[in-house]
Amino acid sequence: FGADLRADEKAKVLDYFGLTEADLEKCNVNTVTNAEEHQYLDSYIPKKQIGTKALSSVLVSLADSGNGLKVSTYNINYCTAGMYKNALATAGVEDANVIVAGPFPLSGTAALVGVLKAYQEMTGKEISDSVVDTALNELVLTGQLEDSLKGVSDAEVEEFIAYIKALIAKDDLTDDAGINGAIDEACEKYGVTLSDDERQQIIDLIKKINSLGIDLNGLVDYAESLYNSFKNGDGSSNSGIAAAVGGFFKSIISSVGDFFKKLFS
């Protein structure tokens, strides 16, 4: 829960969650403060967007294997469902039901931190500050691009970023020229035009990912299922790219397995 919810506002949030106060006795209940919002998000989200009160809240429950990640939002007008989904996906959660809610329309930044905090409670694992910072950087940048890029859907923006990472992994690109080449290829594939600032933010993110020492070549399932909409020109599935994207997520899981307990304890 956002730490600044009044009793009547908390009741509205519980309605969206489909819970009662009595149900909370069976849940791991935590709060997110406005200070935590600013601690983790000031580098990526304007302070005015974060505001001075933590009000948005999130319910995360584990689902049966194969269920996938399902995210619903209510009264959230800045953070997208994709941003919350990417946060959990980067943390390695494949099967979960997530509900994000505010008592009235608001940005949802408290829940952005809260969804990570909730995952920590479910796993008890730790991760380095640098990996958490990179995960937040990626998901916020993806959300900003979803808002600013014209002519492409939110899903296509997420694929666009994943495609760049896949090319980085495939060719082990680390310098500006190589990264820019991958961005150019992705822009052509998805019909995206980036501003200089947007391009630089993507370059900085890729360099940050590279600096973590994550093995991007370990291949796994999650990204293949999430990004199976990648297609060759003939319409067949580009399984090589899907596998490369999968490598990013699985190998980040191995590095971030000890994620949130350290940061939020």
Side-chain angles (χ1 to χ4, degrees):
F1 291 105
D4 297 307
L5 286 172
R6 299 193 314 256
D8 60 322
E9 293 170 339
K10 183 178 179 182
K12 290 181 181 179
V13 167
L14 283 172
D15 282 343
Y16 287 120
F17 288 167
L19 298 175
T20 66
E21 282 284 353
D23 292 327
L24 295 181
E25 295 179 5
K26 297 176 286 186
C27 302
N28 291 320
V29 179
N30 294 276
T31 59
V32 175
T33 67
N34 186 247
E36 286 176 307
E37 291 183 84
H38 286 283
Q39 177 182 352
Y40 295 109
L41 297 172
D42 270 357
S43 297
Y44 307 115
I45 298 176
K47 290 185 178 181
K48 66 177 182 180
Q49 202 73 55
I50 298 172
T52 59
K53 291 184 178 181
L55 296 170
S56 58
S57 304
V58 60
L59 172 68
V60 181
S61 57
L62 293 180
D64 293 337
S65 178
N67 182 74
L69 280 171
K70 293 180 170 52
V71 180
S72 301
T73 63
Y74 301 93
N75 283 332
I76 303 299
N77 58 21
Y78 176 79
C79 297
T80 67
M83 290 167 73
Y84 299 109
K85 190 171 184 177
N86 284 342
L88 288 171
T90 301
V93 179
E94 297 184 17
D95 300 294
N97 296 314
V98 179
I99 301 173
V100 185
F104 47 82
L106 40 75
S107 67
T109 53
L112 192 58
V113 176
V115 74
L116 308 182
K117 200 167 184 179
Y119 174 63
Q120 176 268 143
E121 287 298 319
M122 290 193 295
T123 64
K125 294 179 179 179
E126 295 181 351
I127 193 175
S128 70
D129 286 10
S130 59
V131 175
V132 173
D133 176 73
T134 302
L136 289 171
N137 188 170
E138 180 186 351
L139 67 93
V140 172
L141 175 57
T142 301
Q144 290 171 338
L145 291 174
E146 288 174 355
D147 187 54
S148 65
L149 295 180
K150 307 303 180 184
V152 289
S153 67
D154 289 356
E156 286 171 325
V157 172
E158 292 167 14
E159 291 177 10
F160 168 73
I161 293 295
Y163 188 79
I164 294 171
K165 292 189 298 187
L167 295 176
I168 298 298
K170 176 176 171 289
D171 297 324
D172 193 25
L173 304 174
T174 58
D175 61 2
D176 283 7
I179 296 171
N180 270 302
I183 294 172
D184 288 340
E185 181 174 336
C187 285
E188 182 177 357
K189 181 177 180 68
Y190 285 93
V192 166
T193 301
L194 297 171
S195 69
D196 290 343
D197 182 61
E198 288 166 342
R199 176 179 289 266
Q200 189 59 52
Q201 288 185 69
I202 295 172
I203 292 171
D204 292 343
L205 172 64
I206 294 301
K207 286 183 174 180
K208 194 177 288 188
I209 291 171
N210 284 337
S211 73
L212 297 176
I214 295 171
D215 177 12
L216 298 183
N217 294 306
L219 309 178
V220 288
D221 302 336
Y222 179 73
E224 186 161 1
S225 65
L226 185 61
Y227 296 101
N228 62 8
S229 56
F230 285 138
K231 302 291 180 181
N232 287 323
D234 61 3
S236 61
S237 176
N238 190 342
S239 59
I241 291 298
V245 176
F248 170 79
F249 281 110
K250 195 52 145 189
S251 47
I252 206 171
I253 289 168
S254 64
S255 294
V256 305
D258 295 324
F259 209 29
F260 299 102
K261 187 174 181 180
K262 174 184 174 184
L263 290 175
F264 295 116
S265 60

